[in-house]
Amino acid sequence: MKKITLIDGNSILFRAYYATAYPGAKLMQSSNGTYTNAVFAFVGMFEKMVTSETTDVLVAFDTKEPTKRHIAYEGYKAGRTKMPEELGQQIPLVNQYIDLNGVVAYSKAGYEADDIIGTLAKQASAKGYSVDIYSSDKDLLQLVDEQITVHLLKKGMREVHDFTPEKLIETYELTHNQMIDLKALMGDASDNIPGIPGVGEKTAIKLLKEYETLENILEHQDDIKGKLGERIREHRDSAIMSKELVTIQLDCDIEYDVDSIAKKDIKTEDLIHFYQDLDLHVFVKKMEMPVKQEESKWNHIELKSVSELEDILNQDLSLHFEFSDYNYHKAELWGIGLSNGNNNYVISADVALSSIGFDMYLKDEKYQKYVYDLKAIKVFLLWNKLDIKGVSFDLLLAAYLINSHLGKEEFKRIVSNFYYEDIQYDDNIYGKGSKKALPEKDIYFHHIASKAKAIYALKDELIKNLKDDEQLDLLKNIELPLSEVLAEMEFEGLRVDKEELSKQKEGLNTRINQLEKEIIHLAGREFNVSSPKQLGEILFEDLDLPNGKKTKTGYSTNVDVLNKLQGKHPIIEKILEYRQLSKLYSTYIIGLEQNLFEDDKVHTIYMQALTTTGRLSSLDPNLQNIPIRTEEGRQIRKIFIPKENHLFLGADYSQIELRVLASMANVKKLIEAFNNHEDIHTKTAKEIFHQDEVDSEQRRAAKAVNFGIIYGIGAWSLSEDIHVSPKEAQRFIDDYLNLYPEIKTYMEDIVTYAKENDYVKTIMNRRRYIPELKSSVYTQRSFGERTALNAPIQGSAADILKKAMIDLYRYLKKENKKSKILLQVHDELILDVVQEELEEMKEIVPKMMRKAVSLKVELETSCDVGKTWYDLK
DNA sequence: CTCATCACG
DNA sequence: ACGTACGTGATGAGA
């Protein structure tokens, strides 16, 4: 017997949306800002309704056009809240999804989804087919018959109630025909159907059990006593009209019939791209699981001996080093893939590292090498006393320059962005989390070789792409050389004074324990001081302090809130101190200990392809957020020391971002002030306040505006920052932009440019795409506009320091200096300097930084020397 | 695994 | 009426 499936698309879609859109939750989005929560949930539901067994299926949708119900009754569905914009955007995507599955999505003006389903269901039932209807709308229960089952979705797909005629009687004590009359009597608030006021489900069922039909009830209306009888007599017309409205139409004039809705083949490739575009990667993985067994059409060649390896080392190759862990300082090398575009090889770490020929090959600049993540390879080789030269292409860096959002992605996703699909997800090969392990050798060797193959295959295309975008210099002259600089910095590491570390650990530990006792005492009961939830209950319930409920999970207890409560209760200052100290203890003392290597150093990893602006980031440990703003925190810096008898030298740019802005926007007054070495915040304050002398508050306000401008300021946030009314804040901004009119022009121009081109760029042609600018959601679009302002400034500053690092590194190498660059913190460099080079370094380091690029303003640097990091002030 | 919090430029 | 500054990483709590 033929079996057909009919799906109430609208109802399911709403369920899908609201299942994942509860108030306060952030809706799921793709990386470019498209909302995907409804698509995501819809896919999950669809996969359960439409399986490989399904042969005939149609998904019905409503249209925006009025139906005859609207015409018959102008109040029909009146007062419904409009569909949220975030959901509306996803409707075309869901339609596309259904189509890619080979399934008909159908709607027709003048009909509702119910009517289309009803018509097809009854047609099928008459032909003896069996029918499954999926919806979350009870109205459809009137369609149930011996052939037709209605599956009502409750919560998501977790609970489904299957209604057959028997089930209907069991649940409502009514037949399917009576379901119409039930609704006619009850009415339906959500569709604005009146029914008979005062008659709810209970009364309606009672009436129907006695009289069977609405018509019969009305015929016997005079027999019904009391208030109920009165109501029925008074609202009989309303009941009749309601019945018309809730009756599903079974004779729609539609283009499909039950024999023309056969499911077609799934468009697998397109569906994968659909998922990828929306960042719905779980579904991609799911689809590719079975494909995994299907071998690629090429075989990898394992080079089993040193001589087999050395035989191929007479050519340019792509090389891929596969590590067991993202932290390559301590990772194991699982193998190396090599490819020349024709053959794809793989070797074990043992064979590779014991080959002198391989060592020679790596160092030989004559052979070009193409890699993925040069810095990782370089650091690994340094730990193994090896080196690599002649690398002319790095897939990771190239992809990152083409689109900075790609840097965060894994190998598979990067290459599939360039439509290269012959690659598996790492998770599918190795498993993930604690389950990560090596599978059979053939499987993972193939995987490693496939990466080398991909690098070789994509190299020319990506280089051409970079050339077209005028970014090849950025790769060749900045990012690739920088990889080498960073690799040496990471490998060199930062020395830790273990005595100082344990001294501070002890001190903090004692104080934290003491504070904890005092806090518990003041609170009057035991609780976990580190739990914001429990702390909120103590403060705002037990102690009844004035509060603002802020976060979606409960009370906010962050430092702003606590500061406002200062003085209201002695517990507050204790908590503030506890917070500060436990931050220092767990993040900087314990965190540091955990990252300490046997050489008593920490070896951070600079992520070179991660940020969307071009900055670096640092992890394991993060050395770019070591405390400095409070004296307490700053003490942590005493833990970091140079080599024996050496010194630290720190040099930083002063106001590099404002200078970049002044130069890019050609702001005359700013350029003049900078070139006259004036204090820029004081200068700005004087101009805004029209005074020759300004106080520190006024300078602070001017500084806040200067900063705010860089971030794409709003009056509201500025007012919060400098504690004035939003109105006053707006006046500051207006005055500021009048004072520096070029900034205003720049802000307008850059946003226009971004909207036209979809990206903004830095002085070195680093790009950031801003898809949010196209969003119809206000907050998204505003974010895009601020990004358009900020990214070129932050990114250009990053470019400049990168260039300075390369210049300095080359100088140190060429002149055979012992001093070494150790750290980079966005606008500053820290070097380990040997005494005899100190005077020269104090001269050369700031100079190289100042001369890294030539702007319309001079760059200024300051420079300090000290015995610990703390002493650099 | 997500959230709230807080450290940096 | 809306929602409220750019870029990061690490931690403990709690689901």
Side-chain angles (χ1 to χ4, degrees):
Chain A
M1 181 178 50
K2 194 159 163 175
K3 195 169 166 145
I4 74 165
T5 303
L6 300 169
I7 297 171
D8 184 351
N10 273 75
S11 143
I12 304 288
L13 184 58
F14 268 80
R15 255 303 135 89
Y17 178 78
Y18 285 105
T20 47
Y22 40 92
K26 195 172 170 343
L27 291 185
M28 186 177 191
Q29 283 172 291
S30 71
S31 62
N32 69 18
T34 309
Y35 286 102
T36 55
N37 68 309
V39 179
F40 177 82
F42 188 91
V43 170
M45 296 177 178
F46 185 88
E47 285 181 349
K48 288 184 186 151
M49 299 183 287
V50 180
T51 67
S52 50
E53 318 280 281
T54 313
T55 54
D56 296 83
V57 51
L58 178 142
V59 187
F61 284 95
D62 296 342
T63 69
K64 285 181 195 145
E65 314 303 319
T67 66
K68 61 178 205 180
R69 294 183 181 85
H70 292 97
I71 295 159
Y73 171 47
E74 62 175 337
Y76 184 62
K77 291 196 175 175
R80 273 226 171 154
T81 48
K82 220 173 68 208
M83 181 189 291
E85 169 64 30
E86 293 86 338
L87 172 55
Q89 288 176 10
Q90 297 182 68
I91 292 178
L93 297 174
V94 166
N95 273 281
Q96 199 187 338
Y97 168 77
I98 295 168
D99 178 65
L100 291 171
N101 276 282
V103 170
V104 177
Y106 181 70
S107 62
K108 186 170 182 180
Y111 296 123
E112 292 184 32
D114 293 3
D115 302 320
I116 297 167
I117 290 174
T119 302
L120 288 170
K122 290 300 170 189
Q123 235 183 64
S125 174
K127 288 193 168 193
Y129 300 164
S130 124
V131 181
D132 287 296
I133 295 174
Y134 291 90
S135 176
S136 55
D137 187 348
K138 276 190 195 168
D139 282 4
L140 295 216
L141 290 178
Q142 60 184 274
L143 297 175
V144 170
D145 68 19
E146 291 304 329
Q147 305 292 118
I148 302 173
T149 306
V150 172
H151 307 270
L152 277 192
L153 276 62
K154 292 297 175 186
K155 300 163 194 151
M157 209 49 208
R158 283 194 303 269
E159 227 183 284
V160 183
H161 295 184
D162 308 326
F163 284 95
T164 56
E166 298 76 45
K167 184 70 190 286
L168 218 49
I169 286 168
E170 195 183 301
T171 313
Y172 295 101
E173 304 172 81
L174 298 176
T175 67
H176 68 271
N177 288 319
Q178 288 175 304
M179 295 310 293
I180 301 176
D181 301 50
L182 175 69
K183 206 62 181 285
L185 287 161
M186 284 167 58
D188 181 343
S190 72
D191 287 347
N192 200 29
I193 291 171
I196 294 176
V199 175
E201 189 172 298
K202 289 271 155 57
T203 317
I205 290 175
K206 216 178 85 192
L207 287 167
L208 286 170
K209 274 168 76 181
E210 190 173 346
Y211 297 100
E212 289 196 4
T213 66
L214 174 65
E215 289 72 25
N216 202 31
I217 293 170
L218 297 180
E219 210 162 290
H220 295 89
Q221 60 186 32
D222 297 327
D223 303 348
I224 300 167
K225 296 187 191 74
K227 198 82 187 160
L228 180 60
E230 257 175 55
R231 286 212 177 103
I232 293 171
R233 291 187 286 278
E234 188 183 339
H235 297 285
R236 59 171 293 144
D237 292 346
S238 164
I240 293 167
M241 179 193 72
S242 295
K243 179 158 181 173
E244 270 172 46
L245 289 175
V246 301
T247 303
I248 291 173
Q249 201 181 333
L250 302 176
D251 58 352
C252 298
D253 174 22
I254 54 178
E255 283 75 27
Y256 287 93
D257 63 50
V258 285
D259 294 314
S260 64
I261 57 170
K263 193 172 76 164
K264 300 194 182 66
D265 287 341
I266 296 178
K267 296 165 190 156
T268 311
E269 294 261 314
D270 295 339
L271 188 55
I272 288 174
H273 274 117
F274 171 84
Y275 289 140
Q276 280 170 340
D277 285 346
L278 295 177
D279 289 322
L280 300 174
H281 301 284
V282 253
F283 296 130
V284 182
K285 290 192 190 184
K286 238 173 149 178
M287 289 186 68
E288 301 203 336
M289 285 295 209
V291 182
K292 202 171 110 186
Q293 309 310 328
E294 193 184 295
E295 289 297 312
S296 308
K297 290 166 201 71
W298 54 276
N299 294 309
H300 66 271
I301 303 165
E302 183 185 349
L303 302 168
K304 291 193 168 120
S305 67
V306 168
S307 64
E308 281 179 41
L309 167 62
E310 293 180 351
D311 279 350
I312 67 154
L313 298 178
N314 56 358
Q315 55 188 323
D316 299 343
L317 290 171
S318 67
L319 297 163
H320 176 71
F321 285 59
E322 184 86 333
F323 296 113
S324 61
D325 192 282
Y326 73 90
N327 191 326
Y328 41 73
H329 290 293
K330 46 191 181 193
E332 211 180 306
L333 178 61
W334 274 348
I336 303 173
L338 308 93
S339 173
N340 60 13
N342 294 316
N343 291 319
N344 308 294
Y345 308 96
V346 63
I347 44 174
S348 71
D350 288 346
V351 174
L353 299 182
S354 61
S355 157
I356 298 183
F358 189 55
D359 176 10
M360 305 277 284
Y361 174 80
L362 289 178
K363 281 195 289 220
D364 193 341
E365 293 201 51
K366 188 169 81 212
Y367 296 114
Q368 291 199 48
K369 287 129 200 144
Y370 321 116
V371 302
Y372 175 88
D373 198 355
L374 169 59
K375 181 164 64 66
I377 297 170
K378 183 107 187 162
V379 171
F380 177 84
L381 292 174
L382 283 168
W383 281 106
N384 288 279
K385 303 190 167 58
L386 296 168
D387 200 3
I388 184 168
K389 297 228 166 72
V391 174
S392 61
F393 177 77
D394 181 327
L395 175 59
L396 173 61
L397 293 175
Y400 173 61
L401 293 182
I402 288 167
N403 183 341
S404 57
H405 291 97
L406 285 175
K408 293 184 177 70
E409 312 288 354
E410 63 175 289
F411 194 107
K412 158 84 184 173
R413 292 182 53 182
I414 290 180
V415 298
S416 72
N417 199 267
F418 300 100
Y419 301 99
Y420 186 94
E421 302 295 352
D422 187 10
I423 279 282
Q424 297 284 331
Y425 285 98
D426 287 336
D427 286 358
N428 287 349
I429 303 293
Y430 304 114
K432 70 181 204 178
S434 56
K435 289 195 208 81
K436 185 167 176 175
L438 281 182
E440 272 174 57
K441 190 165 92 173
D442 259 10
I443 295 176
Y444 77 87
F445 267 20
H446 191 79
H447 184 58
I448 296 172
S450 78
K451 290 188 180 177
K453 182 173 184 281
I455 296 166
Y456 201 100
L458 284 172
K459 163 191 57 114
D460 291 334
E461 181 189 334
L462 267 63
I463 287 176
K464 178 173 184 306
N465 194 331
L466 288 168
K467 237 183 232 162
D468 292 347
D469 294 350
E470 298 180 299
Q471 292 185 301
L472 197 55
D473 287 345
L474 188 53
L475 179 68
K476 299 262 176 194
N477 302 334
I478 301 288
E479 299 299 348
L480 276 173
L482 185 71
S483 269
E484 186 176 331
V485 181
L486 294 172
E488 294 212 2
M489 291 164 61
E490 293 175 6
F491 175 68
E492 176 62 35
L494 180 61
R495 253 184 109 208
V496 165
D497 182 343
K498 279 170 98 174
E499 272 185 43
E500 178 67 22
L501 180 68
S502 46
K503 197 180 98 194
Q504 293 203 22
K505 184 178 177 180
E506 273 308 302
L508 284 170
N509 206 348
T510 314
R511 291 175 63 195
I512 290 168
N513 288 333
Q514 178 61 28
L515 278 166
E516 192 178 353
K517 276 190 201 134
E518 292 172 17
I519 291 167
I520 302 283
H521 178 72
L522 287 167
R525 66 175 168 97
E526 288 279 337
F527 75 107
N528 185 344
V529 187
S530 301
S531 159
K533 184 168 173 276
Q534 296 179 35
L535 180 62
E537 286 161 14
I538 295 281
L539 295 182
F540 303 118
E541 288 169 17
D542 291 20
L543 301 179
D544 210 21
L545 290 165
N547 71 282
K549 216 178 202 141
K550 262 186 34 188
T551 68
K552 59 186 157 197
T553 44
Y555 304 107
S556 171
T557 65
N558 70 22
V559 70
D560 287 338
V561 173
L562 294 180
N563 276 331
K564 283 184 190 131
L565 296 174
Q566 273 274 30
K568 294 212 160 59
H569 193 287
I571 200 172
I572 301 298
E573 56 176 329
K574 299 286 178 197
I575 291 167
L576 282 164
E577 197 183 350
Y578 176 91
R579 280 264 173 90
Q580 196 200 358
L581 299 186
S582 36
K583 177 79 177 182
L584 297 176
Y585 183 78
S586 49
T587 305
Y588 297 104
I589 301 289
I590 301 301
L592 208 61
E593 260 181 4
Q594 285 167 350
N595 284 297
L596 211 48
F597 279 63
E598 281 180 10
D599 56 8
D600 287 354
K601 289 176 172 180
V602 284
H603 296 269
T604 190
I605 293 176
Y606 288 106
M607 298 302 285
Q608 196 186 345
L610 183 141
T611 73
T612 45
T613 53
R615 276 190 173 184
L616 303 175
S617 84
S618 155
L619 48 84
D620 286 2
N622 181 355
L623 293 176
Q624 291 181 319
N625 72 348
I626 304 299
I628 191 168
R629 291 174 192 173
T630 65
E631 177 54 33
E632 273 307 352
R634 193 172 190 157
Q635 294 288 328
I636 296 286
R637 297 187 168 216
K638 288 186 171 163
I639 295 168
F640 300 102
I641 52 172
K643 281 190 200 161
E644 204 88 31
N645 299 319
H646 289 209
L647 287 164
F648 278 144
L649 180 144
D652 63 285
Y653 286 113
S654 79
Q655 273 120 30
I656 187 167
E657 292 191 345
L658 260 189
R659 284 171 202 264
V660 165
L661 172 63
S663 177
M664 289 201 308
N666 200 9
V667 186
K668 296 215 178 52
K669 282 189 174 169
L670 269 182
I671 294 173
E672 213 176 278
F674 274 130
N675 287 346
N676 291 330
H677 307 286
E678 293 180 61
D679 176 321
I680 204 69
H681 303 314
T682 304
K683 167 84 178 170
T684 304
K686 284 179 184 168
E687 298 260 15
I688 293 183
F689 295 109
H690 307 290
Q691 292 172 8
D692 290 340
E693 290 302 321
V694 289
D695 60 31
S696 63
E697 262 313 293
Q698 289 170 315
R699 183 179 182 278
R700 220 182 84 77
K703 186 176 174 180
V705 184
N706 273 331
F707 268 103
I709 289 293
I710 292 170
Y711 300 143
I713 199 166
W716 192 89
S717 336
L718 180 64
S719 74
E720 285 282 292
D721 191 16
I722 58 176
H723 304 112
V724 299
S725 70
K727 220 173 175 177
E728 268 179 286
Q730 187 57 54
R731 202 169 50 77
F732 280 146
I733 296 172
D734 293 343
D735 287 355
Y736 185 96
L737 294 177
N738 280 329
L739 178 61
Y740 305 126
E742 299 93 338
I743 294 185
K744 193 174 179 185
T745 313
Y746 169 80
M747 289 168 73
E748 289 158 4
D749 291 353
I750 196 83
V751 170
T752 308
Y753 180 92
K755 286 189 170 161
E756 274 170 17
N757 298 284
D758 293 337
Y759 68 88
V760 289
K761 61 182 188 210
T762 68
I763 52 173
M764 297 197 188
N765 280 342
R766 185 185 303 281
R767 286 186 182 199
R768 168 158 181 179
Y769 284 89
I770 313 177
E772 292 91 346
L773 285 170
K774 285 195 164 34
S775 171
S776 55
V777 180
Y778 170 81
T779 46
Q780 287 290 317
R781 215 170 42 248
S782 306
F783 169 75
E785 287 165 6
R786 294 194 295 272
T787 305
L789 288 172
N790 175 263
I793 300 172
Q794 192 182 111
S796 297
D799 290 346
I800 293 168
L801 184 52
K802 284 179 171 179
K803 170 73 165 37
M805 291 169 75
I806 295 162
D807 293 347
L808 181 57
Y809 174 83
R810 287 184 172 154
Y811 173 85
L812 296 174
K813 271 270 146 108
K814 194 174 111 236
E815 303 291 321
N816 255 317
K817 298 294 178 192
K818 296 195 182 100
S819 300
K820 288 196 156 109
I821 310 174
L822 292 182
L823 298 172
Q824 191 256 37
V825 194
H826 309 308
D827 65 352
E828 67 174 318
L829 294 177
I830 293 165
L831 285 83
D832 179 280
V833 176
V834 59
Q835 297 274 358
E836 70 248 32
E837 293 174 4
L838 181 62
E839 288 312 312
E840 186 191 357
M841 288 305 137
K842 277 162 80 173
E843 183 77 30
I844 207 90
V845 175
K847 188 174 146 199
M848 292 250 166
M849 287 170 70
R850 283 198 305 274
K851 300 294 173 199
V853 295
S854 158
L855 301 177
K856 289 177 186 146
V857 288
E858 291 168 23
L859 290 173
E860 223 172 83
T861 47
S862 65
C863 180
D864 275 296
V865 177
K867 284 185 180 164
T868 76
W869 194 354
Y870 176 85
D871 302 308
L872 299 179
K873 31 181 155 187

